[in-house]
Amino acid sequence: MSILVVGSIALDTIETPTDRREDVLGGSATYFSLAASHFNPVLLVGVVGTDFPEEGIQLFHSHDIDLAGLQQVDGKTFRWSGRYHADVNVRDTLDTQLNVFESFSPAIPVQYKSASHLFLANIHPALQLEVLDQVTDPRVVIADTMNLWIESSSDQLREVIERTDIFLLSDSEARQLTEESNLLLAARRLLSWGPEHVIIKKGEHGAMLVNDGGTFFAPGYPLETVVDPTGAGDVFAGGLTGYLSRSDTVTDDRLRQAVIYGSALASYNVEDFGPERLKDLTMDRVVERVNHFKSFTTF
Ligand code: AMP
């Protein structure tokens, strides 16, 4: 099994109520890959500029992330900047500079095309469709999005959703996309557009999985200190996809377990800036938190 991801690779500037960091390694594909690499080989497709630091490349190498699909082109790497409020669930985007991402066209290397699991991270839905047209029948297609694409490219996004097995989005995005304020009804509407499963991410309040079999809720892992929530959604997706890639089929049980693995990994990621906490995270520590989830949800 192998996991193909196409998404952004970024240098982020992050402001929290108490701190500020510049040029932190980020991007949806970066966070996803570091999390998913705990489970199976990850094949990364994305673009960076000539300013992309060698430490970033080394970090990918140290997690055995395959970079044959990483384009390095003249120009600056994609940059994003955000500020968190005291309530860390609230974030303002301060700046987005597409830079080399503006002319990015995902070219899937021939040896990646038969990957068993495909994650379409948060990028323009037109690019997500380009990827879908290049791969050969992956077992599982998982996709994510963001408010920007809901506002600017909803028709293309609908097409992506139709071709997706598991669709992930945040609670506010689910409400915005479906124009339905009740989350369960919003999830049901999304299911009627094609995917077999919908997962609604609710930040520190956890995640909700909805499919024909019913509904499953995972709480957020209770943490006393959250340093930087950037990338939590992508790390969640990496843990979820990674866990699913360890077996041939997506059963409801496996999917529920995958949601918990994703949540455990995401809970580590928010404990430090950027992907810092993921650098030397071991599977033993992840499993420790998976077991805590059991203890605080059993009654
Ligand atoms: P999350 O906190 O899960 O929403 O992910 C944050 C990451 O998404 C950051 O590292 C950003 O670099 C990246 N990001 C922000 N805006 C965009 C965008 N328009 N397209 C692609 N990636 C983005």
Side-chain angles (χ1 to χ4, degrees):
M1 302 274 195
S2 55
I3 303 165
L4 169 59
V5 53
V6 185
S8 61
I9 300 162
L11 295 173
D12 293 337
T13 297
I14 300 163
E15 286 182 31
T16 68
T18 54
D19 212 340
R20 181 177 192 277
R21 301 286 167 93
E22 280 182 20
D23 288 347
V24 176
L25 178 63
S28 51
T30 301
Y31 284 105
F32 175 92
S33 304
L34 292 171
S37 65
H38 282 278
F39 301 88
N40 257 316
V42 175
L43 318 170
L44 174 62
V45 173
V47 64
V48 295
T50 41
D51 58 350
F52 192 70
E54 184 53 30
E55 300 96 87
I57 302 286
Q58 288 312 324
L59 183 63
F60 290 134
H61 281 316
S62 67
H63 284 72
D64 286 331
I65 295 164
D66 192 303
L67 300 182
L70 178 68
Q71 305 170 25
Q72 185 156 29
V73 301
D74 275 346
K76 280 182 159 184
T77 300
F78 172 72
R79 275 161 207 266
W80 173 83
S81 153
R83 179 190 292 142
Y84 290 92
H85 292 216
D87 171 355
V88 291
N89 291 302
V90 186
R91 170 173 89 186
D92 304 320
T93 289
L94 301 178
D95 190 27
T96 303
Q97 295 171 23
L98 291 177
N99 299 329
V100 294
F101 216 46
E102 200 156 9
S103 51
F104 172 59
S105 172
I108 312 298
V110 67
Q111 68 273 28
Y112 285 13
K113 292 190 180 194
S114 54
S116 59
H117 290 68
L118 168 63
F119 182 65
L120 299 167
N122 164 32
I123 48 170
H124 195 296
L127 298 183
Q128 293 179 318
L129 290 171
E130 275 185 39
V131 175
L132 282 167
D133 287 341
Q134 292 178 66
V135 291
T136 21
D137 203 19
R139 285 180 197 204
V140 187
V141 177
I142 302 168
D144 193 5
T145 193
M146 72 182 295
N147 55 349
L148 184 63
W149 316 127
I150 296 172
E151 284 148 26
S152 69
S153 316
S154 63
D155 286 350
Q156 284 162 313
L157 181 58
R158 273 291 282 268
E159 221 183 300
V160 172
I161 296 171
E162 263 175 53
R163 297 170 69 178
T164 295
D165 301 303
I166 304 173
F167 188 59
L168 309 179
L169 75 181
S170 73
D171 46 1
S172 60
E173 290 157 1
R175 291 190 170 104
Q176 189 182 12
L177 180 58
T178 60
E179 297 177 349
E180 172 57 67
S181 58
N182 178 292
L183 282 185
L184 195 53
L185 294 179
R188 296 236 174 277
R189 183 156 311 160
L190 289 163
L191 287 174
S192 76
W193 295 351
E196 261 182 76
H197 313 275
V198 167
I199 298 176
I200 298 183
K201 299 172 285 178
K202 301 195 289 176
E204 68 168 326
H205 304 298
M208 171 174 143
L209 159 70
V210 186
N211 53 28
D212 276 351
T215 307
F216 173 68
F217 295 94
Y221 187 89
L223 289 171
E224 289 185 6
T225 311
V226 173
V227 173
D228 170 21
T230 309
D234 304 306
V235 171
F236 171 84
L240 175 106
T241 309
Y243 188 80
L244 290 177
S245 75
R246 285 277 184 92
S247 91
D248 284 344
T249 50
V250 181
T251 61
D252 195 47
D253 272 359
R254 291 287 302 175
L255 201 47
R256 287 171 182 228
Q257 286 154 14
V259 167
I260 299 297
Y261 270 83
S263 304
L265 271 147
S267 74
Y268 280 110
N269 186 58
V270 304
E271 289 181 336
D272 205 341
F273 270 96
E276 200 54 41
R277 192 72 179 83
L278 299 180
K279 287 184 179 168
D280 52 10
L281 184 63
T282 62
M283 195 39 106
D284 284 350
R285 301 298 302 275
V286 177
V287 171
E288 227 171 74
R289 284 202 179 165
V290 167
N291 290 331
H292 291 167
F293 267 100
K294 262 187 216 148
S295 71
F296 61 64
T297 55
T298 305
F299 64 93

